[in-house]
Amino acid sequence: MKTRSLSVLLSAFVLLVPFTPRASEGDTVLQPEHPEPVKLALATGAGHAYALLGVHLEARSSHWAVFAGTGLPLLRGPSGVLGIKAFSRPGAGLVGSLHLSYFGSYGSGLVSLASLSATVGWRFRWRETFLELGIGQSFSYAQHADHQDGPHAGVVDHELGFGALGPIPSPNFLPDVALALGYEF
């Protein structure tokens, strides 16, 4: 009985193999999807993602991007930003951004301010040009130095804050915004 069922299966295999579909020269064969090449973009804008008012360079592949930038020296000190973005479509549509910005030594006893921000918005695309709008919230860490004379001169005070202005005044609930215009190469 076992040999009979084995011979039936073998016969069916021999008869059906010549009739299985095969790709010919004119047929389209699905290939594994190749990742989109990395695209570079330069954007200028306002918000913590642009170190208040500045530029950043973005490297994007498909739905993800990383960026780094610097701000204008508006606050008498160095500033910079590092971040990551996720898009609903390659380089467009709904965009979420998580970024860390730093502002150093901008007077009034404030030595430095670091801010971790998250924004959600939309990136509008017209070929290579884009406009990005977003809104979110920031958490910040500030260091203050006492520049007065006396027994506590040079004392550094640390403060945590919530809102786009950091701990000045604390607490504030102003949202972080992103407003940018850019070009993807």
Side-chain angles (χ1 to χ4, degrees):
M1 185 78 171
K2 287 184 184 181
T3 54
R4 181 162 165 71
S5 58
L6 183 61
S7 64
V8 169
L9 284 175
L10 186 57
S11 300
F13 178 74
V14 170
L15 290 173
L16 293 176
V17 166
F19 298 106
T20 57
R22 291 198 177 98
S24 63
E25 283 187 34
D27 291 343
T28 303
V29 179
L30 294 176
Q31 296 292 328
E33 189 176 321
H34 297 290
E36 183 180 349
V38 174
K39 306 262 184 154
L40 294 178
L42 187 62
T44 183
H48 281 256
Y50 297 89
L52 294 188
L53 185 60
V55 297
H56 75 222
L57 181 65
E58 181 177 291
R60 181 188 63 79
S61 179
S62 187
H63 296 272
W64 295 93
V66 293
F67 62 92
T70 186
L72 297 175
L74 300 174
L75 303 173
R76 296 184 281 161
S79 63
V81 62
L82 292 172
I84 185 167
K85 292 182 181 183
F87 301 95
S88 62
R89 298 189 308 248
L94 185 66
V95 60
S97 177
L98 182 64
H99 42 277
L100 178 66
S101 51
Y102 173 82
F103 311 97
S105 184
Y106 58 98
S108 303
L110 188 58
V111 176
S112 66
L113 175 67
S115 178
L116 178 64
S117 304
T119 59
V120 175
W122 197 265
R123 180 176 279 188
F124 301 91
R125 294 275 312 232
W126 300 275
R127 296 185 186 188
E128 291 83 17
T129 305
F130 60 86
L131 171 69
E132 189 171 304
L133 305 171
I135 192 164
Q137 198 50 267
S138 298
F139 299 95
S140 58
Y141 169 77
Q143 288 184 331
H144 300 273
D146 183 5
H147 297 292
Q148 300 174 4
D149 294 330
H152 300 291
V155 171
V156 175
D157 184 27
H158 307 276
E159 190 174 3
L160 294 175
F162 179 75
L165 297 178
I168 313 165
S170 184
N172 74 77
F173 296 103
L174 284 175
D176 183 17
V177 296
L179 172 62
L181 185 61
Y183 185 84
E184 189 172 84
F185 299 96

